[in-house]
Amino acid sequence: MRVETGARGDGRLARPAERSEAQVSATESPPRYNIPVTEVSTREAPVEADTAPARRFTLRQRIVLRLIITVGYWFIRLVGPTLRVCVSREEGAQETVGQRPLIGSFWHSCIIPATYMCRNLGVRVMSSNSYDGEYMGRIIRKFGFVAVKGSSSRNAVRALLGLRRALQDGWAVAFTLDGPRGPRYKVKPGPVSLARSSGVPMTTFHMAADKAWILNSWDRMIIPMPFSRVLMRFGKLIVVPPEASDEDLERYQQELQDSLDRVREFAEAHVQEVGTAEFPYYN
């Protein structure tokens, strides 16, 4: 297991055989907050664009949508910097938070702390055409993410083609695998198929908070309280060979499920230890 720390200590607890992040990249530093994202970094490739007519909402829905977007954006912007985060990794996990290209997967419940932690990295994400997907897509775009329209039920092929183009261009892509409406904590086949066609490894992570509001929603969304401790746990990379058969894909999908379950259980079990010598803070 590895953990990393940032400006608060620059120390690391690591086994002798492991390298520190400073050794991996002496020049890399954690992304600063509120860095403007350039037009180049957020511009979607033509294949990513959804040419379908814009979804029409009622007046009431549009008012609620604007309210949710405004409140959600300012909450993440104001509370995010107060979070005391530790980043922990399994053996064989990605070396840095911003490593790319990779195919990331996480559960919908931790999308709020994940939005702050992965801000301004230009991550490409599959965004649902649903009402929920619309407001989440608009919020995360304000933090430097690029939405590719599609979901497990609609426009999936088009979205996967857009994500594959992003991987070819060197970007990281991410899936909230149990979104947009569940079932909770159950993976879908998109990342595995994309990993086979692109040759890019899959990564998993989960974020747990020691003090949080839990919404009474299908995903039990986590809303971290200000100054709460947060543990971000990465799973080891999963490589799907291009010659993998359809039967092999089922096995890799189960491996992805196991990895997501494992990092979630670890994060929830150890979040109270964030700030100790074994789990130092990451700035």
Side-chain angles (χ1 to χ4, degrees):
M1 180 192 72
R2 283 184 291 180
V3 292
E4 62 176 317
T5 183
R8 299 193 183 189
D10 282 340
R12 174 186 302 277
L13 183 69
R15 296 176 181 172
E18 298 169 341
R19 295 184 300 164
S20 68
E21 184 160 324
Q23 291 173 308
V24 173
S25 175
T27 60
E28 179 172 348
S29 59
R32 292 171 294 161
Y33 181 72
N34 215 24
I35 302 175
V37 181
T38 66
E39 181 180 356
V40 173
S41 67
T42 58
R43 177 172 50 86
E44 296 185 41
V47 71
E48 296 181 54
D50 189 353
T51 57
R55 181 180 176 89
R56 294 183 179 275
F57 298 113
T58 66
L59 176 61
R60 180 179 181 277
Q61 285 178 319
R62 291 198 299 270
I63 294 173
V64 173
L65 189 66
R66 183 174 294 274
L67 178 63
I68 293 174
I69 293 168
T70 301
V71 172
Y73 167 73
W74 282 105
F75 179 86
I76 296 173
R77 179 174 177 179
L78 295 175
V79 174
T82 74
L83 300 179
R84 297 173 291 169
V85 181
C86 171
V87 177
S88 171
R89 300 182 180 86
E90 295 180 348
E91 289 292 333
Q94 64 190 81
E95 298 285 355
T96 63
V97 173
Q99 181 176 331
R100 60 188 178 118
L102 286 174
I103 301 169
S105 295
F106 62 102
W107 299 129
H108 199 273
S109 62
C110 64
I111 194 170
I112 289 179
T115 296
Y116 178 75
M117 196 63 186
C118 300
R119 67 200 182 279
N120 298 329
L121 296 178
V123 177
R124 271 58 176 165
V125 296
M126 182 180 287
S127 177
S128 168
N129 290 305
S130 67
Y131 187 72
D132 291 348
E134 184 69 22
Y135 71 71
M136 283 308 308
R138 294 191 190 185
I139 291 173
I140 64 177
R141 281 198 294 269
K142 292 178 179 289
F143 290 92
F145 293 79
V146 177
V148 180
K149 288 293 184 180
S151 70
S152 60
S153 56
R154 299 181 61 184
N155 300 321
V157 174
R158 175 182 295 174
L160 287 174
L161 288 173
L163 293 176
R164 188 171 67 178
R165 173 71 62 85
L167 291 169
Q168 292 170 346
D169 291 341
W171 295 105
V173 306
F175 292 83
T176 52
L177 271 192
D178 51 350
R181 283 291 180 182
R184 186 184 181 211
Y185 296 157
K186 296 296 182 182
V187 303
K188 298 182 177 72
V192 176
S193 299
L194 186 59
R196 179 176 66 173
S197 64
S198 67
V200 175
M202 296 186 295
T203 182
T204 61
F205 72 87
H206 187 76
M207 300 184 72
D210 68 334
K211 297 179 181 178
W213 295 286
I214 310 297
L215 295 187
N216 187 26
S217 55
W218 69 267
D219 60 345
R220 307 291 293 170
M221 182 177 288
I222 301 167
I223 303 179
M225 295 182 182
F227 303 100
S228 58
R229 292 176 292 180
V230 175
L231 180 56
M232 185 180 197
R233 176 70 167 181
F234 283 100
K236 67 179 181 179
L237 298 180
I238 302 172
V239 178
V240 181
E243 66 275 8
S245 65
D246 291 342
E247 290 75 15
D248 292 332
L249 292 188
E250 294 181 4
R251 177 170 57 84
Y252 284 109
Q253 185 170 326
Q254 184 59 51
E255 187 174 349
L256 181 62
Q257 176 77 56
D258 294 342
S259 180
L260 282 163
D261 291 341
R262 193 169 59 245
V263 295
R264 177 177 60 86
E265 292 167 2
F266 184 96
E268 292 174 351
H270 296 279
V271 66
Q272 298 290 345
E273 302 172 49
V274 170
T276 65
E278 187 175 1
F279 295 92
Y281 291 121
Y282 171 93
N283 186 20

